[in-house]
Amino acid sequence: MDRPPKGTAKLFAYLLPAEVLALLASVEIAIGRRVLYALAVYTGLRKSSLMALKWKDVDITHAMLAALITKNGVPQLFEIPAGLVNVLRAWRARCGAPADGERVVQDVECGSSPSPTSPARSPSSRRRRRMGRAAP
């Protein structure tokens, strides 16, 4: 795929608040994926930072979250809203109180490892795989 010429305005797609709520409430989307989306919406973290979050990085008592792995290598600290605290508390309970060293979101369900066919892969990485190229 060719890149657009420099200086060309990029188009971005955003969800409206009502659309975010509908997405997070959808029972058709796996619960682990909805937790991942909630973290993304409330923190603005990149996928790699979200997937690297471990339970030891989440302080539910003080409503704080530390993203230790970031694109620029500088850790980020977030105060998380009560709604996200409740989501994370319920998710941790659903997962059977995982160890502090375990990732917050491993895949679409608690305790499962990401699989090659995991929906967490982007369409472009699936396309590269089909074309015989490695994902970046």
Side-chain angles (χ1 to χ4, degrees):
M1 178 189 308
D2 294 327
R3 290 180 172 228
K6 288 193 179 222
T8 303
K10 294 181 182 179
L11 295 176
F12 293 96
Y14 298 97
L15 295 177
L16 297 172
E19 293 171 321
V20 170
L21 293 175
L23 176 73
L24 298 178
S26 174
V27 294
E28 296 172 1
I29 299 172
I31 186 71
R33 182 58 53 90
R34 288 185 277 158
V35 170
L36 182 67
Y37 292 158
L39 281 164
V41 167
Y42 282 106
T43 65
L45 287 170
R46 294 173 178 271
K47 180 180 172 187
S48 58
S49 297
L50 291 169
M51 296 304 287
L53 277 178
K54 295 185 178 176
W55 282 110
K56 67 181 178 180
D57 304 328
V58 178
D59 183 348
I60 291 175
T61 306
H62 297 103
M64 299 297 287
L65 182 144
L68 304 177
I69 297 177
T70 61
K71 181 180 177 182
N72 63 5
V74 177
Q76 294 178 309
L77 187 64
F78 296 91
E79 181 178 3
I80 52 179
L84 184 56
V85 169
N86 292 335
V87 167
L88 292 171
R89 185 178 288 123
W91 177 241
R92 187 161 195 175
R94 179 184 175 116
C95 293
D100 285 345
E102 288 189 43
R103 292 187 320 176
V104 174
V105 179
Q106 296 181 20
D107 206 358
V108 294
E109 276 302 326
C110 299
S112 60
S113 297
S115 64
T117 58
S118 170
R121 289 186 176 266
S122 68
S124 59
S125 68
R126 286 191 298 269
R127 193 170 35 253
R128 281 191 296 276
R129 206 168 9 126
R130 278 196 312 262
M131 297 173 73
R133 290 183 277 182

